Amino acid sequence: MLVELLYCSVSVAPQITDADLEHILACARRRNLEAGITGMLLYYRGEFVQILEGRKKSVENVYEKFIGPDLKHTALNKVHQNTISHRSFSEWSMGFIGEPEVESRMPLSVIGILMNLLTDEAKTKPLSMGLNAFVSIYNQLRKSPYR
Ligand SMILES: Cc1cc2nc3c(=O)[nH]c(=O)nc-3n(C[C@H](O)[C@H](O)[C@H](O)COP(=O)(O)O)c2cc1C
């Protein structure tokens, strides 16, 4: 059974560095590839939003054993977990949207960024509940005053 899991968290370091992000992503991608997990991580102004997709057991295992206990972030809030019929990010062991992409004026919204990253199958379908939530959290982050 395929599921998508969406959560938000807050980075512990006041200024997370590019090296920190690269470390998180390198570890995450290696493990996700082994576990058949795909998804997208967004980092903006000290907050993370991540969507994971894969087999229920694998997603829950990675979330509970590796993501939850990671001391680089805190205040994890599982926003949503839902069964899905297909993956939206099947080519991404963990895609990443960082501050430059969020601030960029070129793709006018995160939908623009996301649409470039979604698989062709996902592009032809309405956004899943998880993706919809991802977009609405992103919109809230963007509107909130700079911390
Ligand atoms: C925001 C965030 C997202 C993460 N996403 C994943 C993930 O998708 N898959 C995974 O296996 N681990 C994930 N992790 C855990 C890290 O990949 C990895 O376990 C950690 O960076 C190793 O930390 P250490 O060097 O402090 O032991 C995530 C951690 C954080 C903080």
Side-chain angles (χ1 to χ4, degrees), residues 60-147:
E60 285 173 352
N61 183 55
V62 160
Y63 182 72
E64 278 154 28
K65 289 215 181 107
F66 298 103
I67 298 179
D70 193 317
L71 297 175
K72 291 188 281 304
H73 63 168
T74 184
L76 271 78
N77 175 17
K78 197 201 272 194
V79 179
H80 165 92
Q81 183 173 328
N82 191 49
T83 307
I84 48 171
S85 59
H86 65 279
R87 294 175 192 251
S88 299
F89 300 103
S90 60
E91 284 136 38
W92 298 87
S93 56
M94 190 45 64
F96 180 66
I97 302 175
E99 305 208 320
E101 291 83 7
V102 175
E103 298 286 1
S104 158
R105 302 262 160 227
M106 278 305 286
L108 282 173
S109 68
V110 80
I111 301 266
I113 302 166
L114 273 172
M115 284 310 278
N116 291 332
L117 302 172
L118 294 183
T119 58
D120 288 343
E121 192 194 357
K123 278 179 197 164
T124 63
K125 307 211 159 133
L127 293 187
S128 70
M129 280 168 69
L131 274 171
N132 256 317
F134 191 96
V135 171
S136 75
I137 293 166
Y138 158 87
N139 283 328
Q140 286 164 31
L141 283 177
R142 264 199 102 152
K143 279 190 220 124
S144 67
Y146 200 85
R147 270 178 281 261

Coordinates of all heavy atoms in Angstrom, one line a residue, residues 60-147:
E60 N 6.8 4.9 7.4 CA 6.7 5.1 8.8 C 8.0 4.8 9.5 O 8.4 5.4 10.5 CB 5.6 4.2 9.4 CG 4.2 4.8 9.0 CD 3.0 3.8 9.3 OE1 3.3 2.7 9.7 OE2 1.9 4.3 9.2
N61 N 8.7 3.8 9.0 CA 10.0 3.4 9.6 C 11.0 4.6 9.5 O 11.6 4.9 10.5 CB 10.5 2.2 8.9 CG 11.8 1.6 9.5 OD1 11.8 1.4 10.7 ND2 12.8 1.5 8.7
V62 N 11.2 5.1 8.4 CA 12.1 6.2 8.2 C 11.7 7.4 9.0 O 12.5 8.1 9.6 CB 12.3 6.6 6.7 CG1 12.9 8.0 6.5 CG2 13.2 5.5 6.0
Y63 N 10.4 7.7 9.0 CA 9.9 8.9 9.8 C 10.2 8.7 11.3 O 10.7 9.6 11.9 CB 8.4 9.1 9.5 CG 7.9 10.3 10.2 CD1 8.2 11.6 9.8 CD2 7.0 10.2 11.3 CE1 7.7 12.7 10.4 CE2 6.5 11.3 12.0 CZ 6.8 12.5 11.5 OH 6.3 13.6 12.2
E64 N 9.9 7.5 11.8 CA 10.1 7.3 13.2 C 11.5 7.1 13.7 O 11.9 7.5 14.7 CB 9.2 6.1 13.7 CG 7.8 6.5 13.9 CD 6.8 5.4 13.7 OE1 7.1 4.2 14.0 OE2 5.6 5.7 13.3
K65 N 12.3 6.4 12.8 CA 13.6 6.0 13.3 C 14.7 7.0 12.9 O 15.7 7.1 13.6 CB 14.1 4.6 12.6 CG 13.3 3.5 13.2 CD 14.2 2.2 13.2 CE 13.5 1.0 13.8 NZ 13.2 0.1 12.7
F66 N 14.5 7.7 11.8 CA 15.6 8.6 11.4 C 15.2 10.1 11.3 O 16.0 10.9 11.7 CB 16.1 8.2 10.0 CG 16.7 6.8 10.0 CD1 15.9 5.7 9.5 CD2 17.9 6.5 10.5 CE1 16.4 4.4 9.5 CE2 18.4 5.2 10.6 CZ 17.7 4.2 10.1
I67 N 14.0 10.4 10.9 CA 13.6 11.8 10.8 C 13.3 12.4 12.2 O 13.8 13.4 12.6 CB 12.5 12.0 9.8 CG1 13.0 11.5 8.4 CG2 12.0 13.4 9.7 CD1 12.0 11.6 7.3
G68 N 12.4 11.7 12.9 CA 11.9 12.2 14.2 C 13.1 12.4 15.1 O 13.2 13.5 15.7
P69 N 14.0 11.4 15.3 CA 15.0 11.6 16.3 C 16.1 12.6 15.9 O 17.0 12.8 16.7 CB 15.6 10.2 16.5 CG 14.6 9.3 15.8 CD 13.9 10.1 14.8
D70 N 16.2 13.0 14.7 CA 17.3 13.9 14.2 C 17.2 15.2 15.0 O 16.3 16.0 14.9 CB 17.2 14.2 12.7 CG 18.4 14.8 12.2 OD1 19.0 15.7 12.8 OD2 18.9 14.4 11.1
L71 N 18.3 15.5 15.7 CA 18.3 16.7 16.6 C 18.5 18.0 15.9 O 18.6 19.1 16.5 CB 19.4 16.5 17.7 CG 19.2 15.3 18.7 CD1 20.4 15.2 19.6 CD2 17.9 15.5 19.5
K72 N 18.7 17.9 14.6 CA 18.8 19.2 13.8 C 17.5 19.9 13.6 O 17.5 21.0 13.2 CB 19.5 18.9 12.5 CG 21.0 18.4 12.6 CD 21.7 18.3 11.3 CE 21.4 17.1 10.5 NZ 21.6 15.8 11.3
H73 N 16.4 19.2 13.9 CA 15.1 19.9 13.9 C 14.3 19.5 15.1 O 14.6 18.5 15.8 CB 14.4 19.7 12.6 CG 14.0 18.3 12.3 ND1 13.2 17.9 11.2 CD2 14.4 17.1 12.8 CE1 13.1 16.6 11.2 NE2 13.8 16.1 12.1
T74 N 13.2 20.3 15.3 CA 12.4 20.1 16.5 C 10.9 20.4 16.1 O 10.7 20.8 15.0 CB 12.9 20.9 17.7 OG1 12.1 20.6 18.8 CG2 12.8 22.4 17.4
A75 N 10.0 20.2 17.1 CA 8.6 20.6 16.9 C 8.0 19.9 15.6 O 7.3 20.6 14.8 CB 8.5 22.1 16.8
L76 N 8.3 18.6 15.5 CA 7.7 18.0 14.3 C 6.2 17.9 14.4 O 5.7 17.6 15.5 CB 8.3 16.5 14.2 CG 9.6 16.4 13.4 CD1 10.8 16.9 14.2 CD2 9.8 15.0 12.9
N77 N 5.6 18.2 13.3 CA 4.1 18.2 13.3 C 3.7 17.4 12.1 O 3.8 17.9 11.0 CB 3.6 19.6 13.3 CG 2.1 19.7 13.1 OD1 1.4 18.7 13.3 ND2 1.7 20.9 12.7
K78 N 3.2 16.2 12.3 CA 2.7 15.3 11.2 C 1.4 15.9 10.7 O 0.4 15.8 11.5 CB 2.6 13.9 11.6 CG 2.5 13.0 10.4 CD 1.9 11.6 10.7 CE 2.9 10.6 11.2 NZ 2.4 9.2 11.2
V79 N 1.4 16.5 9.6 CA 0.2 17.2 9.2 C -0.8 16.3 8.5 O -2.0 16.4 8.7 CB 0.6 18.3 8.1 CG1 -0.6 19.1 7.6 CG2 1.6 19.3 8.7
H80 N -0.3 15.2 7.9 CA -1.2 14.5 7.0 C -0.5 13.2 6.6 O 0.7 13.1 6.4 CB -1.3 15.4 5.8 CG -1.9 14.7 4.6 ND1 -3.2 14.7 4.3 CD2 -1.3 14.0 3.6 CE1 -3.4 14.0 3.2 NE2 -2.3 13.6 2.7
Q81 N -1.3 12.1 6.7 CA -0.8 10.8 6.1 C -2.0 10.2 5.3 O -3.1 10.1 5.9 CB -0.3 9.9 7.1 CG 0.2 8.6 6.5 CD 0.9 7.7 7.5 OE1 1.5 8.1 8.5 NE2 0.8 6.4 7.3
N82 N -1.8 9.8 4.1 CA -2.9 9.4 3.3 C -2.5 8.3 2.3 O -1.4 8.3 1.8 CB -3.4 10.6 2.5 CG -4.7 10.4 1.8 OD1 -5.6 9.9 2.4 ND2 -4.8 10.8 0.6
T83 N -3.4 7.4 2.0 CA -3.1 6.4 0.9 C -3.1 7.1 -0.4 O -4.0 8.0 -0.7 CB -4.2 5.3 0.9 OG1 -4.3 4.8 2.2 CG2 -3.9 4.2 0.0
I84 N -2.2 6.8 -1.3 CA -2.2 7.3 -2.7 C -2.2 6.2 -3.7 O -1.7 5.1 -3.4 CB -1.0 8.3 -2.9 CG1 0.4 7.6 -2.4 CG2 -1.1 9.6 -2.2 CD1 1.6 8.4 -2.8
S85 N -2.6 6.6 -4.9 CA -2.6 5.5 -6.0 C -1.3 5.5 -6.8 O -1.0 4.6 -7.4 CB -3.8 5.8 -6.9 OG -3.7 7.1 -7.4
H86 N -0.6 6.7 -6.8 CA 0.6 6.7 -7.6 C 1.5 7.8 -6.9 O 1.0 8.6 -6.2 CB 0.3 7.2 -9.0 CG -0.3 8.5 -9.1 ND1 -1.6 8.8 -8.9 CD2 0.3 9.7 -9.4 CE1 -1.8 10.1 -9.0 NE2 -0.6 10.7 -9.3
R87 N 2.8 7.7 -7.2 CA 3.7 8.7 -6.7 C 3.8 9.9 -7.5 O 3.6 9.9 -8.7 CB 5.2 8.1 -6.7 CG 5.4 6.9 -5.8 CD 6.8 6.3 -6.0 NE 6.9 5.1 -5.4 CZ 7.6 4.9 -4.3 NH1 8.3 5.8 -3.7 NH2 7.7 3.7 -3.7
S88 N 4.0 11.1 -6.9 CA 4.1 12.3 -7.6 C 5.6 12.6 -7.9 O 5.9 13.4 -8.8 CB 3.6 13.5 -6.8 OG 2.2 13.3 -6.6
F89 N 6.5 12.0 -7.1 CA 7.9 12.4 -7.2 C 8.8 11.1 -7.5 O 9.8 10.9 -6.9 CB 8.4 13.0 -5.9 CG 7.7 14.3 -5.6 CD1 6.8 14.3 -4.6 CD2 8.0 15.5 -6.2 CE1 6.1 15.5 -4.2 CE2 7.3 16.6 -5.9 CZ 6.4 16.6 -4.9
S90 N 8.3 10.2 -8.4 CA 8.9 8.9 -8.5 C 10.4 9.0 -8.9 O 11.1 8.1 -8.7 CB 8.1 8.0 -9.4 OG 8.1 8.6 -10.7
E91 N 10.8 10.1 -9.5 CA 12.2 10.2 -9.9 C 13.1 10.9 -8.9 O 14.3 11.1 -9.1 CB 12.3 11.0 -11.2 CG 11.9 10.2 -12.4 CD 11.0 11.0 -13.4 OE1 11.3 12.2 -13.5 OE2 10.1 10.4 -13.9
W92 N 12.6 11.2 -7.7 CA 13.3 11.9 -6.7 C 13.4 11.1 -5.4 O 12.5 11.0 -4.7 CB 12.6 13.3 -6.4 CG 12.5 14.1 -7.6 CD1 11.5 14.2 -8.5 CD2 13.5 15.2 -8.0 NE1 11.8 15.1 -9.5 CE2 13.0 15.7 -9.1 CE3 14.7 15.6 -7.4 CZ2 13.7 16.8 -9.8 CZ3 15.3 16.6 -8.0 CH2 14.8 17.2 -9.2
S93 N 14.7 10.6 -5.1 CA 14.8 10.0 -3.8 C 14.6 11.0 -2.7 O 14.3 10.7 -1.6 CB 16.2 9.3 -3.7 OG 17.2 10.2 -3.9
M94 N 14.9 12.3 -2.9 CA 14.4 13.4 -2.1 C 14.8 14.7 -2.8 O 15.9 15.1 -2.8 CB 15.1 13.4 -0.7 CG 14.4 14.4 0.3 SD 12.6 14.4 0.3 CE 12.1 12.8 0.8
G95 N 13.8 15.3 -3.5 CA 14.0 16.5 -4.2 C 14.1 17.6 -3.1 O 13.8 17.4 -2.0
F96 N 14.6 18.8 -3.6 CA 14.8 19.8 -2.6 C 14.4 21.2 -3.2 O 14.8 21.5 -4.3 CB 16.3 19.9 -2.1 CG 16.6 20.9 -1.1 CD1 16.0 20.9 0.1 CD2 17.4 22.0 -1.4 CE1 16.3 21.9 1.1 CE2 17.7 23.0 -0.5 CZ 17.1 22.9 0.8
I97 N 13.7 22.0 -2.4 CA 13.4 23.3 -2.7 C 14.0 24.2 -1.6 O 13.5 24.1 -0.4 CB 11.9 23.6 -2.8 CG1 11.2 22.6 -3.9 CG2 11.5 25.0 -3.2 CD1 9.7 22.7 -4.0
G98 N 14.9 25.0 -1.9 CA 15.6 25.9 -0.9 C 15.2 27.3 -1.0 O 14.3 27.7 -1.8
E99 N 15.8 28.2 -0.2 CA 15.4 29.6 -0.2 C 15.5 30.3 -1.5 O 14.6 31.0 -1.9 CB 16.2 30.3 0.9 CG 16.1 29.6 2.2 CD 16.3 30.6 3.4 OE1 17.1 31.4 3.4 OE2 15.5 30.4 4.4
P100 N 16.6 30.0 -2.3 CA 16.7 30.7 -3.6 C 15.5 30.3 -4.5 O 15.0 31.2 -5.2 CB 18.0 30.2 -4.2 CG 18.8 29.6 -3.1 CD 17.8 29.2 -2.1
E101 N 15.1 29.1 -4.5 CA 14.0 28.7 -5.3 C 12.7 29.3 -4.9 O 11.8 29.7 -5.6 CB 13.8 27.1 -5.3 CG 14.9 26.4 -6.1 CD 16.1 26.1 -5.2 OE1 16.1 26.4 -4.0 OE2 17.1 25.7 -5.7
V102 N 12.5 29.4 -3.5 CA 11.3 30.0 -3.0 C 11.2 31.5 -3.3 O 10.2 32.0 -3.6 CB 11.2 29.7 -1.4 CG1 10.0 30.4 -0.9 CG2 11.1 28.2 -1.1
E103 N 12.4 32.1 -3.1 CA 12.4 33.6 -3.4 C 12.4 33.9 -4.8 O 12.1 35.1 -5.2 CB 13.7 34.2 -2.8 CG 13.9 34.0 -1.2 CD 13.0 34.9 -0.5 OE1 12.2 35.7 -1.1 OE2 13.0 34.9 0.8
S104 N 12.8 33.0 -5.7 CA 12.9 33.3 -7.1 C 11.6 33.8 -7.7 O 10.5 33.3 -7.4 CB 13.4 32.0 -7.9 OG 13.0 32.1 -9.2
R105 N 11.8 34.8 -8.5 CA 10.6 35.4 -9.2 C 10.2 34.6 -10.5 O 9.2 34.8 -11.0 CB 10.8 36.8 -9.6 CG 11.2 37.7 -8.4 CD 10.0 38.5 -7.9 NE 10.2 38.9 -6.5 CZ 9.4 38.7 -5.5 NH1 8.2 38.2 -5.7 NH2 9.7 39.1 -4.3
M106 N 11.2 33.8 -10.9 CA 10.9 33.1 -12.2 C 9.7 32.2 -12.2 O 8.8 32.5 -12.9 CB 12.2 32.4 -12.7 CG 13.2 33.4 -13.4 SD 12.4 34.3 -14.7 CE 12.3 33.0 -15.9
P107 N 9.8 31.0 -11.5 CA 8.5 30.3 -11.4 C 7.7 31.1 -10.4 O 8.1 31.3 -9.3 CB 8.9 28.9 -10.9 CG 10.3 29.0 -10.6 CD 10.8 30.4 -10.8
L108 N 6.5 31.6 -10.8 CA 5.8 32.6 -10.0 C 5.3 32.0 -8.6 O 5.1 32.7 -7.7 CB 4.7 33.2 -10.8 CG 5.1 34.2 -11.8 CD1 4.0 34.7 -12.7 CD2 5.8 35.4 -11.1
S109 N 5.2 30.7 -8.6 CA 4.7 30.2 -7.3 C 5.3 28.8 -7.1 O 6.0 28.3 -8.0 CB 3.2 30.0 -7.4 OG 2.9 29.0 -8.3
V110 N 5.1 28.3 -5.9 CA 5.7 26.9 -5.7 C 5.0 25.9 -6.6 O 5.6 24.9 -6.9 CB 5.5 26.5 -4.2 CG1 4.1 26.0 -3.9 CG2 6.6 25.5 -3.8
I111 N 3.8 26.2 -7.0 CA 3.2 25.3 -8.0 C 4.0 25.2 -9.2 O 4.2 24.1 -9.8 CB 1.8 25.8 -8.4 CG1 0.8 26.0 -7.2 CG2 1.1 24.9 -9.5 CD1 0.0 24.8 -6.9
G112 N 4.6 26.3 -9.7 CA 5.5 26.3 -10.8 C 6.7 25.5 -10.6 O 7.1 24.7 -11.5
I113 N 7.3 25.6 -9.4 CA 8.5 24.8 -9.1 C 8.1 23.3 -9.0 O 8.7 22.4 -9.6 CB 9.1 25.2 -7.7 CG1 9.4 26.7 -7.7 CG2 10.3 24.4 -7.4 CD1 9.7 27.3 -6.4
L114 N 7.0 23.1 -8.3 CA 6.6 21.7 -8.1 C 6.2 21.0 -9.4 O 6.5 19.9 -9.7 CB 5.3 21.6 -7.2 CG 5.6 21.6 -5.7 CD1 4.3 21.7 -5.0 CD2 6.2 20.3 -5.3
M115 N 5.5 21.8 -10.3 CA 5.1 21.2 -11.6 C 6.3 20.7 -12.4 O 6.2 19.7 -13.1 CB 4.3 22.2 -12.4 CG 2.9 22.4 -11.9 SD 2.0 20.8 -11.6 CE 1.4 20.4 -13.3
N116 N 7.4 21.4 -12.2 CA 8.6 21.0 -13.0 C 9.2 19.7 -12.4 O 9.9 19.0 -13.1 CB 9.7 22.0 -12.9 CG 9.4 23.3 -13.7 OD1 8.6 23.1 -14.7 ND2 9.9 24.4 -13.3
L117 N 8.9 19.4 -11.1 CA 9.5 18.3 -10.4 C 8.6 17.1 -10.4 O 9.0 15.9 -10.3 CB 9.8 18.7 -9.0 CG 10.7 19.9 -8.8 CD1 10.8 20.3 -7.3 CD2 12.1 19.6 -9.3
L118 N 7.3 17.3 -10.6 CA 6.4 16.2 -10.6 C 6.6 15.2 -11.8 O 7.0 15.7 -12.8 CB 4.9 16.7 -10.6 CG 4.4 17.5 -9.5 CD1 2.9 17.8 -9.7 CD2 4.6 16.7 -8.2
T119 N 6.3 14.0 -11.6 CA 6.4 13.0 -12.7 C 5.3 13.3 -13.7 O 4.2 14.0 -13.4 CB 6.2 11.6 -12.2 OG1 5.0 11.5 -11.5 CG2 7.3 11.2 -11.2
D120 N 5.5 12.9 -14.9 CA 4.5 13.2 -16.0 C 3.1 12.6 -15.6 O 2.1 13.3 -15.8 CB 4.9 12.5 -17.3 CG 6.1 13.2 -17.9 OD1 6.3 14.4 -17.5 OD2 6.8 12.7 -18.7
E121 N 3.1 11.5 -14.9 CA 1.8 10.9 -14.5 C 1.1 11.9 -13.5 O -0.1 12.2 -13.6 CB 2.0 9.5 -13.8 CG 0.7 8.8 -13.6 CD 0.8 7.6 -12.7 OE1 1.9 7.3 -12.2 OE2 -0.2 7.0 -12.5
A122 N 1.9 12.4 -12.5 CA 1.3 13.3 -11.5 C 0.8 14.6 -12.1 O -0.2 15.1 -11.7 CB 2.3 13.5 -10.4
K123 N 1.5 15.0 -13.2 CA 1.1 16.3 -13.8 C -0.3 16.3 -14.4 O -0.9 17.3 -14.5 CB 2.1 16.7 -14.9 CG 3.4 17.3 -14.3 CD 4.3 17.6 -15.5 CE 5.7 17.9 -14.9 NZ 6.8 17.8 -15.8
T124 N -0.7 15.1 -14.8 CA -2.0 14.9 -15.5 C -3.1 14.8 -14.6 O -4.3 14.7 -15.0 CB -1.9 13.7 -16.5 OG1 -1.8 12.6 -15.7 CG2 -0.8 13.8 -17.5
K125 N -2.8 14.6 -13.3 CA -3.9 14.4 -12.3 C -4.0 15.6 -11.3 O -3.1 16.4 -11.2 CB -3.5 13.1 -11.5 CG -3.2 11.9 -12.3 CD -3.5 10.7 -11.7 CE -3.7 9.6 -12.8 NZ -3.1 8.4 -12.6
P126 N -5.2 15.7 -10.7 CA -5.3 16.7 -9.7 C -4.3 16.5 -8.6 O -3.9 15.4 -8.3 CB -6.7 16.6 -9.1 CG -7.3 15.4 -9.8 CD -6.3 14.8 -10.7
L127 N -3.8 17.6 -7.9 CA -2.9 17.4 -6.8 C -3.4 16.5 -5.7 O -4.6 16.6 -5.4 CB -2.5 18.8 -6.2 CG -1.8 19.8 -7.0 CD1 -1.4 21.0 -6.2 CD2 -0.5 19.2 -7.7
S128 N -2.6 15.7 -5.2 CA -3.0 14.8 -4.0 C -3.3 15.7 -2.8 O -2.8 16.9 -2.8 CB -1.9 13.8 -3.7 OG -0.8 14.4 -3.2
M129 N -3.9 15.1 -1.8 CA -4.1 15.9 -0.6 C -2.8 16.4 0.0 O -2.7 17.5 0.5 CB -4.9 15.0 0.4 CG -6.4 14.9 0.2 SD -7.1 13.6 1.2 CE -7.0 14.4 2.8
G130 N -1.8 15.5 0.0 CA -0.5 15.9 0.6 C 0.1 17.1 -0.2 O 0.6 18.0 0.4
L131 N 0.0 17.0 -1.5 CA 0.6 18.1 -2.3 C -0.1 19.4 -2.1 O 0.5 20.4 -2.0 CB 0.6 17.7 -3.8 CG 1.8 16.9 -4.2 CD1 1.6 16.3 -5.6 CD2 3.1 17.7 -4.1
N132 N -1.5 19.3 -2.0 CA -2.2 20.5 -1.7 C -1.8 21.1 -0.4 O -1.7 22.3 -0.3 CB -3.7 20.1 -1.7 CG -4.5 20.5 -2.9 OD1 -4.2 21.6 -3.4 ND2 -5.3 19.6 -3.4
A133 N -1.7 20.2 0.6 CA -1.3 20.7 1.9 C 0.1 21.4 1.8 O 0.4 22.4 2.4 CB -1.3 19.6 2.9
F134 N 1.0 20.7 1.1 CA 2.4 21.2 0.9 C 2.3 22.6 0.3 O 3.0 23.5 0.8 CB 3.1 20.3 -0.1 CG 4.6 20.4 -0.2 CD1 5.5 19.6 0.5 CD2 5.1 21.3 -1.1 CE1 6.8 19.8 0.3 CE2 6.5 21.5 -1.3 CZ 7.3 20.7 -0.6
V135 N 1.5 22.8 -0.7 CA 1.4 24.1 -1.3 C 0.8 25.2 -0.3 O 1.3 26.3 -0.2 CB 0.6 24.1 -2.6 CG1 0.3 25.4 -3.2 CG2 1.3 23.2 -3.6
S136 N -0.2 24.8 0.4 CA -0.8 25.8 1.3 C 0.1 26.1 2.5 O 0.2 27.3 2.9 CB -2.2 25.4 1.7 OG -2.1 24.4 2.7
I137 N 0.9 25.2 3.0 CA 1.9 25.5 4.0 C 2.9 26.4 3.4 O 3.3 27.4 4.1 CB 2.5 24.2 4.6 CG1 1.5 23.4 5.3 CG2 3.7 24.6 5.5 CD1 1.9 22.0 5.6
Y138 N 3.4 26.2 2.2 CA 4.4 27.0 1.6 C 3.8 28.5 1.5 O 4.5 29.4 1.8 CB 4.7 26.5 0.2 CG 5.3 27.5 -0.8 CD1 6.6 27.8 -0.8 CD2 4.4 28.2 -1.6 CE1 7.1 28.7 -1.6 CE2 4.9 29.2 -2.4 CZ 6.3 29.4 -2.5 OH 6.8 30.4 -3.3
N139 N 2.6 28.6 1.1 CA 2.0 29.9 0.9 C 2.0 30.7 2.3 O 2.3 31.8 2.3 CB 0.6 29.8 0.3 CG 0.7 29.6 -1.1 OD1 1.6 30.0 -1.8 ND2 -0.3 28.9 -1.7
Q140 N 1.7 29.9 3.4 CA 1.7 30.5 4.7 C 3.1 31.0 5.1 O 3.3 32.1 5.6 CB 1.2 29.6 5.7 CG -0.3 29.3 5.7 CD -0.7 28.1 6.5 OE1 0.0 27.7 7.5 NE2 -1.7 27.3 6.1
L141 N 4.1 30.1 4.8 CA 5.5 30.5 5.1 C 5.9 31.7 4.4 O 6.5 32.6 5.0 CB 6.4 29.3 4.7 CG 6.5 28.1 5.5 CD1 7.5 27.1 4.9 CD2 7.0 28.4 6.9
R142 N 5.6 31.8 3.2 CA 6.0 33.0 2.4 C 5.4 34.2 2.9 O 6.0 35.3 2.8 CB 5.5 32.8 0.9 CG 6.5 32.2 0.0 CD 6.2 32.4 -1.4 NE 7.0 33.6 -1.9 CZ 7.3 33.7 -3.1 NH1 7.0 32.9 -4.0 NH2 8.1 34.7 -3.5
K143 N 4.1 34.2 3.4 CA 3.5 35.4 3.9 C 3.9 35.8 5.3 O 3.8 36.9 5.6 CB 2.0 35.1 3.9 CG 1.3 35.3 2.5 CD -0.2 35.3 2.6 CE -0.8 34.5 1.4 NZ -1.7 33.4 1.9
S144 N 4.5 34.8 6.0 CA 4.8 35.2 7.4 C 6.0 36.1 7.5 O 6.9 36.1 6.6 CB 5.1 33.9 8.2 OG 6.3 33.3 7.8
P145 N 6.0 37.0 8.5 CA 7.1 38.0 8.6 C 8.5 37.3 8.7 O 8.5 36.2 9.3 CB 6.8 38.8 9.8 CG 5.7 38.1 10.5 CD 5.1 37.2 9.6
Y146 N 9.5 37.9 8.3 CA 10.8 37.3 8.3 C 11.3 37.1 9.8 O 11.1 38.0 10.6 CB 11.9 38.2 7.6 CG 13.1 37.4 7.3 CD1 13.1 36.7 6.1 CD2 14.2 37.4 8.1 CE1 14.2 36.0 5.7 CE2 15.3 36.7 7.8 CZ 15.3 36.0 6.6 OH 16.5 35.2 6.3
R147 N 11.8 35.9 10.1 CA 12.2 35.7 11.5 C 13.7 35.8 11.5 O 14.4 35.3 10.7 CB 11.9 34.2 11.8 CG 10.5 34.1 12.5 CD 10.2 32.7 12.8 NE 9.8 32.0 11.5 CZ 8.6 31.8 11.2 NH1 7.6 32.2 12.0 NH2 8.2 31.3 10.1

